[in-house]
């Protein structure tokens, strides 16, 4: 659910508005004949809002641009309905009629309201005022609204208040008492959208002049342009992406097999009849111009580019330096298209889930002398919050959990839990890290940032009871690289504090060498920043580097370069405002921007923001939306880019607000936030978050909320979500033509769906087509205790408005749902639901529960393993359209397979033999058999198949086609935490390509 405190409240009202929001030019109203105009000799009288009396949550801020004075007043948010107010005291020169002007910002794109209360001569006049917005307005656009008031001479009081019938969500800059019809005050009057600082296009690449030398094209790994990120006028077609628009951007995510220079080939078509050029950038840093000669047919051009190993990006951008027409914003010649980008030494991406350099090892799948926790999905239990719903507790000295490395590693991340202290400040401990039996490091474990209590939004007072949020993550770089096959062990040893340690998982990776500063970048140390890596924050206060960062940003903007954050730990006590600037680090394992007292991070104030290759490490310990900061927040305008940023212990990871147009966020790691992981809020357009991993959030892991304005054509792509503690794995709240694609979502907990498509929280209603596709949801859904109801793996919820435009769910697997597989509910209709090529396997409640009216279309939906309810396996209300292939939903599943399976246990080793027979009429090519193992059993390897395990779910993928009537036999080797001797059944249910199989013991 959205972070309520991060939103500005709303006002309702009346009369005269200056600036672009007015449909007609502003005209001074006629004066009543019985009231004399006020004297103008001493006018105008201007008062700053930040100097007024603020109560009820109203506060001073300066995180937008264009205000007068030292700041503006915000806090008119839903949390402060009925309490927030600003009180001014005016010294009126003489009785008469005046224009009372309010300078305000409304970046939501729709009218908002506040109540204006004028106290004069003992009388109280309370009126609601409407405060319009305008197309293209941001939170740095300021409007002037005038109300005509009659005032007595002397001291008078004016109050702007957020009443229960107001909509709030505006910022107030100043007021002015002036003559009726004068709209030039306060603060210089109104501003036009697009003229405020930070608005307009990103021009940082315009001066790139070096032309890149071409080389011979090479074959390699291909990345299709039409499935990549496009913005600012670039349009994806069937064959490629059109870059004709003056500022068009195409950014392609790539996976280089190793670091260094390599040939990158671009397949393009240029039918303009003249040379066209684009600026190429690698990982958000421009490297030169690529000239594309005319050619009517598709052809190749190649250059040598410096690429990092693993996830990176290659950008093609049109700029205003490509000719007078483009520079003036006129359309460039049409006919420049990009088909694909090819890396000579590249790797393909998986179809689902984020690329990550880390390999994950679950504790319950390791070898352990500790206690393996039984699976649980109950709120406020440790196992329920664990990845895979199980973990291992080490509560005695010498107890351990270990794994055999399948990839080399020199760094580890540990997700673990230790108990809180009695006062809620946390306890610290450590576990020994052993490689091949020898100790190589200690890894810290702490409860400083875990354990919250009571009801929403969950505080840090243990006396409230109701403990939750048990896990936290720490990390350590090892002194040497460990080879494949090394035994990696975590052990409670003599150096560990006397605490029980519950280990959920470790992630291992090879931390790359630190990056070097780009030429000409401004080093924050040159402006006074101090590396506090060696400072113990529990005994000494780190140096406040906020002023140094602010100075470095200013110097970099003036020089037209960027800001360099070198290896080290630098502390911020406030957000650093950025626009038209790049901030880069040496990599998130090295360059750490730390927060203090819930503050810190970066705040975007307009176009041209790049933040890359660093970590934002906060110190938030509970949720306080009004006081604490997000790591990355603001209006990112056009041309902005975030890559390879690691976020931990902040309120929110990334919060992109109204005015963001074409933000690309690639390769984020968001951990242990107390509200959302990633949130697109309000009028955000053409924004894409890709290859991002989110874990242990206090609210929606990834959300789009069309609050006040529509999120439009935005997407969450190829990302992985694990264990959001409250809220959904991904959510789309209203908006226009948005999507989630290629997600993997695991282990949602309370008030949660794997993916929600919803009009909850009163968003702008849906328009266009909303898509959920090619995703895997496992162990998702949850119970909403406040409503005493369940949410499904996918939840379509028509709450505050009908959903009348298409909602498309396709190519998706909904596996082992806690409750329903697919839930459609609400007090309104869902009138065009289209579900196709979707698998629902093993549900705790109904397979499909469509509990409201509308047209619901199903095709090729396979349902199996439903926990039958007294009234059947499904609820199907509304008009159901059976478009064929809906096995287990609208027609009985055909008998296509039979399975015989048995397990032999010898000590702690298991050998499972499985025989699969194709009893159907069609050959099975690339088949997959799935079953659920006992909680204590661990799959190691397969003979004749490729095996994988996620929680207790096991899959075996066949390597050869299985013809009708034919059988195949394979063996699965594994271990068990319950040693024994004997033979028995392996499992009692299985599915083959989503259809249930009869299972016998061989």
């Amino acid at each position: 659910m959205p972070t309520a405190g991060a939103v500005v409240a709303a006002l309702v009202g009346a009369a005269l508005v200056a600036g672009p929001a007015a449909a007609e030019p502003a005209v001074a109203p006629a004066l009543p004949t019985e009231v004399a105009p006020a004297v103008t000799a001493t006018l105008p009288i201007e008062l700053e809002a930040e100097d007024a009396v603020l109560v009820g949550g109203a506060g001073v801020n300066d995180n937008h641009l264009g205000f007068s004075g030292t700041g503006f007043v915000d806090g008119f948010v839903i949390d402060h309905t009925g309490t927030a107010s600003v009180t001014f005291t005016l010294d009126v020169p003489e009785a008469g009629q005046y224009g009372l002007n309010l300078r305000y910002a409304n970046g939501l794109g729709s009218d908002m309201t506040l109540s204006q209360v004028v106290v004069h001569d003992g009388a109280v006049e309370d009126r609601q005022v409407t405060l319009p917005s305008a197309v293209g307005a941001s939170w740095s656009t300021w409007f002037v609204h005038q109300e005509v008031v009659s005032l007595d001479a002397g001291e008078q009081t004016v109050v702007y208040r957020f009443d229960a019938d107001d909509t709030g969500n505006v910022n107030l800059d100043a007021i002015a008492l002036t003559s009726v019809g004068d709209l030039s005050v306060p603060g210089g009057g109104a501003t036009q959208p697009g003229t405020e600082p930070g608005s307009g296009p990103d021009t940082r690449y315009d001066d790139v002049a070096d032309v890149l030398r071409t080389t011979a094209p090479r074959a390699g790994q291909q990345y299709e342009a039409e499935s990549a990120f496009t913005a600012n006028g670039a349009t994806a077609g069937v064959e490629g992406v059109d870059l004709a628009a003056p500022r068009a951007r195409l950014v392609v995510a790539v996976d280089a097999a190793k670091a260094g220079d390599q040939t990158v080939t671009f397949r393009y078509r240029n039918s303009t009849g003249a040379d066209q050029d684009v600026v190429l950038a690698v990982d958000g840093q421009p490297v030169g111009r690529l000239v594309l000669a005319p050619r009517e047919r598709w052809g190749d051009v190649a250059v040598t580019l410096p690429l990092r190993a693993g996830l990176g990006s290659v950008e093609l951008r049109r700029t205003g330096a490509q000719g007078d027409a483009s520079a003036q914003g006129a359309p460039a010649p049409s006919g420049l298209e990009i088909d694909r980008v090819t890396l000579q030494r590249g790797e393909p991406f998986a179809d689902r889930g984020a690329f990550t350099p880390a390999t994950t090892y679950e504790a319950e799948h390791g070898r352990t002398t500790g206690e393996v926790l039984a699976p649980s999905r109950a709120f406020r239990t440790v196992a329920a919050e664990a990845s895979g719903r199980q973990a291992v507790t080490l509560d005695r000295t010498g107890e351990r959990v270990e794994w055999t490395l399948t990839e080399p590693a020199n760094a580890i991340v540990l997700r673990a839990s230790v108990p809180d202290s009695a006062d809620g400040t946390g306890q610290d401990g450590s576990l020994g890290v052993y490689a091949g039996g020898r100790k190589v490091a200690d890894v810290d474990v702490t409860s400083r940032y875990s354990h919250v209590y009571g009801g929403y939004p969950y505080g840090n007072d243990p006396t409230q009871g109701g403990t939750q949020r048990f896990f936290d993550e720490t990390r350590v770089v090892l002194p040497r690289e460990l080879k494949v096959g090394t035994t990696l062990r975590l052990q409670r040893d003599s150096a560990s504090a006397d605490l029980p340690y519950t280990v959920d998982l470790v992630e291992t990776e090879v931390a790359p060498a630190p990056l070097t500063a780009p030429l000409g970048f401004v080093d924050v140390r040159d402006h006074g920043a101090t590396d506090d890596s060696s400072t113990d924050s529990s005994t000494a206060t780190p140096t406040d580097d906020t002023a140094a960062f602010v100075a470095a940003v200013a110097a970099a903007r003036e020089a037209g370069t960027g800001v360099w954050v070198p290896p080290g730990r630098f502390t911020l006590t406030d957000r650093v405002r950025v626009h038209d600037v790049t901030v880069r680090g040496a990599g998130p394992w090295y360059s750490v921007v730390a927060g203090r007292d819930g503050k810190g991070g970066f705040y975007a104030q307009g176009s041209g923001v790049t933040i890359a290759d660093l970590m934002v490490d906060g110190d938030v310990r509970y949720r306080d939306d009004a006081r604490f900061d997000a790591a990355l927040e603001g209006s990112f305008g056009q041309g902005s880019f975030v890559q390879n940023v690691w976020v931990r212990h902040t309120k929110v990871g990334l919060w992109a607000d109204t005015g963001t147009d074409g933000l690309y966020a690639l390769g984020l790691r968001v951990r242990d936030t107390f509200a959302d992981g990633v949130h697109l809020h309000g009028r955000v357009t053409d924004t894409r978050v890709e290859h991002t991993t989110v874990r242990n959030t206090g609210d929606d892991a990834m959300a789009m909320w069309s609050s006040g304005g529509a999120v439009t054509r935005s997407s969450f792509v190829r990302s992985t979500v694990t264990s959001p503690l409250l809220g959904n794995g991904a959510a789309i709240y209203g908006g226009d033509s948005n999507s989630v694609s290629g997600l993997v979502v695991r282990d949602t907990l309370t008030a949660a769906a794997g993916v929600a498509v919803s009009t909850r929280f009163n968003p702008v209603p849906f328009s266009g087509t909303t898509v959920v596709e090619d995703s895997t949801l496992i162990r998702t859904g949850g119970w909403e205790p406040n409503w005493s109801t369940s949410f499904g793996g996918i939840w379509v919820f028509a709450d505050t408005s009908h959903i009348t435009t298409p909602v498309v769910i396709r190519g998706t697997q909904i596996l082992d749902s806690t409750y329903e597989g697919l839930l459609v509910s609400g007090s309104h209709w869902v009138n065009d639901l289209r579900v196709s090529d979707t698998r629902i396997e093993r549900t705790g409640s109904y397979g499909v529960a469509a509990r409201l009216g509308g047209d619901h279309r199903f095709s090729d939906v396979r349902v199996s393993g439903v926990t039958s309810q007294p009234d059947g396996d499904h609820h199907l209300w509304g008009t159901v359209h059976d478009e064929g292939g809906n096995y287990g939903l609208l027609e009985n599943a055909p008998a296509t397979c039979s399975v015989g399976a048995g397990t032999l246990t010898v000590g702690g080793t298991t050998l499972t033999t499985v025989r699969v027979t194709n009893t159907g009429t069609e050959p099975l090519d690339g088949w997959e058999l799935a079953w659920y193992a006992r909680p204590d059993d661990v799959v190691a390897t397969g003979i004749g198949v490729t095996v994988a395990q996620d929680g207790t779910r096991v899959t075996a993928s066949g390597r050869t086609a299985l013809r009708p009537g034919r059988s195949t036999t394979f063996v699965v080797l594994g271990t068990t935490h319950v040693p024994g001797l004997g033979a028995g059944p392996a499992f009692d249910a299985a599915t083959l390509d989503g259809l249930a199989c009869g299972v016998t013991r061989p």
Side-chain angles (χ1 to χ4, degrees):
M1 49 188 87
T3 308
V7 188
V8 219
L11 305 149
V12 187
L16 186 64
V17 175
E24 302 286 342
V27 178
L31 300 179
T33 55
E34 68 273 13
V35 179
V39 65
T40 61
T42 57
L43 300 180
I45 300 171
E46 299 185 45
L47 299 176
E48 291 292 332
E50 65 269 23
D51 298 329
V53 177
L54 313 179
V55 298
V60 178
N61 213 329
D62 63 355
N63 59 354
H64 301 300
L65 301 171
F67 54 83
S68 60
T70 60
F72 57 85
V73 172
D74 63 4
F76 296 97
V77 298
I78 191 170
D79 287 350
H80 303 149
T81 304
T83 62
S85 69
V86 181
T87 300
F88 299 89
T89 300
L90 283 167
D91 188 3
V92 180
E94 67 177 51
Q97 197 166 50
Y98 294 88
L100 179 59
N101 289 4
L102 173 66
R103 193 171 194 254
Y104 69 94
N106 173 3
L108 295 177
S110 56
D111 291 356
M112 296 288 130
T113 63
L114 283 183
S115 294
Q116 174 186 287
V117 181
V118 178
V119 181
H120 58 93
D121 195 26
V124 176
E125 179 192 293
D126 187 343
R127 68 177 78 167
Q128 190 179 62
V129 294
T130 298
L131 303 176
S133 184
V135 174
S138 74
W139 290 107
S140 295
T141 305
W142 297 95
F143 302 97
V144 173
H145 176 86
Q146 185 176 96
E147 291 284 321
V148 177
V149 295
S150 297
L151 298 175
D152 295 326
E155 192 172 275
Q156 311 291 347
T157 300
V158 176
V159 181
Y160 292 94
R161 194 173 62 202
F162 185 14
D163 288 344
D165 59 346
D166 291 323
T167 52
N169 291 292
V170 294
N171 296 333
L172 308 186
D173 182 30
I175 67 168
L177 192 67
T178 186
S179 56
V180 174
D182 175 20
L183 301 169
S184 64
V185 290
T191 58
Q192 295 284 338
T195 63
E196 65 270 12
S199 65
D202 175 15
T203 60
R204 292 175 299 162
Y205 290 12
D206 285 10
D207 294 332
V208 174
D210 292 342
V211 176
L212 296 171
R213 180 179 297 178
T214 60
T215 188
R218 297 290 184 91
Q221 178 61 48
Q222 298 177 356
Y223 304 92
E224 294 296 328
E226 55 268 28
S227 61
F229 168 75
T230 56
N232 305 130
T235 56
V238 175
E239 293 186 282
V241 171
D242 186 344
L243 294 181
R247 297 283 176 179
R249 293 174 67 206
L250 166 66
V251 189
V252 181
V254 297
D255 177 7
K258 65 178 183 177
D261 290 347
Q262 67 165 288
T263 300
V264 179
T265 302
F266 301 88
R267 186 169 180 80
Y268 79 99
R269 180 167 60 192
N270 175 9
S271 57
T272 66
D275 285 353
Q276 299 295 319
D277 67 278
V278 295
V279 173
L280 290 186
V282 174
D283 301 320
Q285 192 67 18
V287 295
R289 288 190 177 272
L290 174 64
V291 176
L292 301 171
R295 58 183 314 141
E296 294 293 330
R297 298 182 179 180
W298 291 106
D300 293 331
V301 63
V303 295
T304 300
L305 295 179
L307 301 181
R308 62 182 62 180
L311 183 64
S313 62
V314 176
E315 178 175 356
L316 298 89
R317 179 185 296 207
R318 305 279 281 176
T319 68
Q322 293 161 318
D324 291 340
S326 293
Q328 295 168 7
S334 61
L336 178 61
E337 300 167 273
I338 306 296
D339 176 28
R340 62 175 178 251
V341 176
T342 301
L343 264 59
Q344 180 185 0
R345 296 182 297 276
E347 300 289 344
F349 290 119
D351 292 334
R352 302 171 188 226
F355 170 93
T356 171
T359 302
T360 301
Y361 301 89
E362 293 282 347
E364 67 273 21
H365 295 163
R367 302 178 296 275
T368 184
T369 58
E371 177 192 359
V372 180
L373 301 186
S376 174
R377 304 195 189 189
F379 186 37
R380 305 187 192 276
T381 62
V382 175
E385 292 189 14
S387 170
R389 312 288 187 168
Q390 288 186 274
V392 171
T393 297
L394 311 176
D395 59 4
R396 294 183 178 88
T397 300
E399 289 188 336
R400 64 186 183 271
V401 58
E402 63 185 28
W403 309 264
T404 301
L405 294 183
T406 58
E407 298 289 340
N410 67 2
I412 69 171
V413 173
L414 169 64
R415 186 172 193 248
S417 174
V418 293
D420 201 2
S421 60
D423 62 358
T425 58
Q427 300 187 87
D428 298 325
S430 65
L431 290 172
V433 181
Y434 292 75
R438 302 183 65 177
K439 187 172 183 178
V440 294
D442 289 300
V443 58
D444 294 335
V445 184
T446 183
S447 56
R448 296 187 193 189
Y449 308 103
S450 58
H451 296 79
V452 293
Y453 304 91
Y456 177 84
Y458 312 114
N460 196 32
D461 180 3
T463 64
Q464 294 180 345
T467 312
Q468 58 157 312
R469 194 181 177 97
F470 298 101
F471 290 98
D472 188 51
E473 296 188 19
T474 51
R475 65 183 193 172
V476 65
V477 177
L478 304 178
R480 61 183 174 87
E481 185 173 308
L482 308 182
K483 297 179 180 180
V484 173
T486 301
T487 296
L488 175 68
R489 178 191 302 166
L490 294 179
Q491 181 170 312
R492 177 177 162 169
D493 58 19
S494 58
S496 303
D498 186 16
L499 297 167
Y501 297 82
T502 299
V503 178
D504 179 25
L505 57 82
V506 295
E507 290 178 334
T508 67
E509 64 185 274
V510 175
L515 302 169
T516 58
L519 183 66
F521 269 45
V522 177
D523 194 318
V524 294
R525 294 173 300 185
D526 293 339
H527 290 270
T530 303
D531 176 13
D532 287 316
S533 298
S534 59
T535 300
D536 183 353
S537 60
S538 65
T539 60
T541 301
T543 305
D544 183 359
D545 298 312
T546 308
F549 272 67
V550 170
V553 167
R557 290 189 66 243
E558 184 175 356
T561 58
V563 175
W564 174 245
V565 183
R569 187 177 181 88
F570 304 92
T571 301
L572 301 179
T573 59
D574 196 2
R575 294 178 293 191
V576 176
R577 277 65 166 165
V578 288
H579 68 88
D580 194 29
V581 73
T582 295
V583 180
R584 306 191 77 94
W589 280 101
Y590 305 103
S591 299
V592 179
V593 179
R596 187 198 297 170
D597 299 329
K599 302 294 186 179
F602 296 93
Y603 195 95
Q605 294 185 305
S607 298
V609 175
T610 296
I611 301 172
D613 302 319
L614 52 81
M615 181 185 206
V616 179
D617 191 14
D619 68 348
V620 174
R621 303 186 182 203
Y622 59 94
R623 181 169 180 171
D624 188 328
D625 291 342
R627 292 178 54 212
F628 297 154
D629 292 339
L632 308 172
E633 186 176 359
S635 176
F636 288 82
Q638 296 182 20
S640 292
F641 183 51
V642 178
Q643 180 175 316
N644 194 29
V645 174
W646 194 332
V647 175
R648 183 175 66 172
H649 301 151
T650 61
K651 179 180 68 176
V652 173
L654 168 64
W655 183 285
D657 218 330
T658 288
T660 299
D661 181 6
L663 169 66
Y664 186 40
L666 177 68
L668 275 64
R669 301 193 214 190
V670 181
R671 304 287 188 271
D672 304 321
T673 62
F674 285 79
D676 293 12
V678 173
H679 190 113
L680 311 183
H681 174 253
R683 188 171 44 80
V684 173
T685 304
D686 290 330
T687 290
R688 178 165 170 149
V689 181
E690 187 168 10
H691 288 299
T692 287
T693 59
V694 183
R695 187 162 58 222
N696 206 53
T697 58
D699 215 318
D700 290 338
M702 307 181 79
M704 308 179 200
W705 182 24
S706 294
S707 174
V711 179
T712 302
R713 295 187 305 275
S714 294
S715 57
F716 299 142
V717 181
R718 283 199 183 104
S719 294
T720 300
V721 170
T722 306
S723 301
L725 305 181
L726 170 71
N728 307 290
I732 303 176
Y733 300 107
D736 182 0
S737 305
N738 300 306
S739 65
V740 298
S741 177
L743 265 59
V744 174
V745 181
R746 298 183 177 94
D747 301 310
T748 59
L749 188 56
T750 189
V755 175
V757 176
S758 173
T759 60
R760 195 178 182 187
F761 308 113
N762 196 30
V764 173
F766 283 98
S767 57
T769 299
T770 303
V771 177
V772 178
E773 64 181 354
D774 300 331
S775 296
T776 296
L777 316 177
I778 182 165
R779 299 180 299 276
T780 60
W783 185 258
E784 168 54 276
N786 297 306
W787 297 358
S788 294
T789 193
S790 57
F791 296 165
I794 292 181
W795 180 33
V796 182
F797 185 40
D799 183 23
T800 58
S801 61
H802 298 299
I803 302 177
T804 59
T805 54
V807 175
V808 174
I809 301 168
R810 62 190 175 213
T812 292
Q813 298 177 327
I814 308 170
L815 311 173
D816 198 13
S817 291
T818 305
Y819 296 99
E820 301 90 350
L822 169 62
L823 172 64
V824 186
S825 66
S827 57
H828 292 74
W829 282 31
V830 174
N831 204 42
D832 193 357
L833 176 68
R834 308 174 189 180
V835 187
S836 63
D837 189 24
T838 289
R839 182 186 305 180
I840 299 174
E841 173 192 290
R842 198 185 192 200
T843 65
S845 178
Y846 300 97
V848 175
R851 297 184 178 133
L852 39 70
D855 287 325
H856 311 319
R857 301 178 183 276
F858 298 93
S859 64
D860 295 318
V861 176
R862 297 185 173 190
V863 183
S864 63
V866 173
T867 299
S868 294
Q869 303 300 300
D871 55 350
D873 288 354
H874 310 286
H875 269 171
L876 296 174
W877 299 358
T879 303
V880 175
H881 300 267
D882 183 357
E883 298 181 347
N886 297 302
Y887 301 132
L889 176 63
L890 299 174
E891 56 186 297
N892 293 328
T896 61
C897 56
S898 64
V899 175
T903 296
L904 174 66
T905 302
V906 180
T909 301
T910 61
L911 184 151
T912 299
T913 302
V914 181
R915 180 179 178 85
V916 182
T917 302
N918 181 355
T919 61
T921 60
E922 299 293 330
L924 300 174
D925 193 8
W927 54 268
E928 179 185 87
L929 186 75
W931 69 90
Y932 290 83
R934 297 173 300 185
D936 292 308
D937 290 351
V938 181
V939 165
T941 189
I943 300 174
V945 290
T946 300
V947 295
Q949 185 170 8
D950 192 325
T952 59
R953 186 175 189 266
V954 179
T955 58
S957 300
R959 299 171 184 170
T960 59
L962 188 59
R963 296 194 299 272
R966 302 297 295 270
S967 300
T968 186
T969 299
F970 60 87
V971 174
V972 178
L973 302 177
T975 59
T976 180
H977 297 301
V978 183
L981 177 63
F987 44 83
D988 57 9
T991 60
L992 186 66
D993 295 340
L995 296 178
C997 295
V999 177
T1000 61
R1001 179 177 172 180

